[in-house]
Amino acid sequence: LSQGGYLAWAVNGLLHGAGKSLQVYVKELKDADSTRTLNEKARDGVRVDVAVRNNDGIGEQSLAMMRDALRENPGLPLTLRVYPKTGGPLPHGNLIVADGSRAYLGTAFLWTSHMSGVMPGGRAFDHGVLLEGGDAARVHRQFREAVPAPETDVLAPEAGR
């Protein structure tokens, strides 16, 4: 997937189409619209696990929105973890896995402004692949093995965990 809108449509399709679970590994989560989507999926009963590289990768507004969602909805199936930077193979890799069977692996960020850049006529140069079934599960497993274990859930106090 690259320019022409397919990348943004694929990412949005995974985020909005998940019915059971979403695992999201990103460099940054600093976009209110993306955070709102993740919170809404959790409110719909979808297990949402987000892992962000470094504490500075979490925007203050996104963190506040997730904390508010947990305070308003005790037991919400939502986690936000931080994992340390690595010099390994994933300096800019982002992964979204929906329901364990569909995945996007690539360089696009979860930002509305960035996604508009990859829509038709946009100027972003990000690429990625969309995977299904066993391929999605294998990439997810490989990504988990390559990424250091995330630190504790930064939302845990709000979630009562």
Side-chain angles (χ1 to χ4, degrees):
L1 302 173
S2 61
Q3 300 239 12
Y6 298 114
L7 179 61
W9 293 325
V11 169
N12 285 321
L14 288 173
L15 293 175
H16 291 279
K20 294 186 256 177
S21 65
L22 268 172
Q23 286 80 39
V24 179
Y25 300 81
V26 288
K27 180 181 177 193
E28 295 181 342
L29 181 62
K30 295 184 176 183
D31 179 72
D33 290 334
S34 298
T35 304
R36 190 173 298 108
T37 297
L38 295 170
N39 286 347
E40 288 170 1
K41 293 309 292 186
R43 283 188 193 102
D44 290 343
V46 174
R47 171 90 220 145
V48 178
D49 298 303
V50 181
V52 177
R53 271 183 301 256
N54 300 325
N55 282 319
D56 62 351
I58 303 171
E60 289 181 29
Q61 183 181 18
S62 291
L63 182 59
M65 289 172 70
M66 289 180 134
R67 285 181 169 159
D68 288 347
L70 281 164
R71 274 195 286 278
E72 295 165 8
N73 304 278
L76 194 68
L78 177 66
T79 61
L80 175 61
R81 299 179 190 276
V82 176
Y83 63 92
K85 258 189 219 179
T86 78
L90 306 167
H92 294 288
N94 296 298
L95 176 69
I96 301 167
V97 181
D99 298 330
S101 62
R102 292 170 292 140
Y104 162 80
L105 175 65
T107 57
F109 295 103
L110 295 179
W111 304 334
T112 302
S113 61
H114 184 76
M115 283 293 132
S116 65
V118 297
M119 293 300 284
R123 300 185 56 169
F125 296 101
D126 287 289
H127 298 280
V129 292
L130 190 60
L131 303 162
E132 292 187 294
D135 292 331
R138 278 188 291 281
V139 165
H140 189 202
R141 185 187 73 247
Q142 291 168 353
F143 203 96
R144 285 191 320 257
E145 291 170 358
V147 171
E151 297 171 7
T152 39
D153 181 1
V154 297
L155 301 173
E158 284 78 14
R161 295 176 237 171

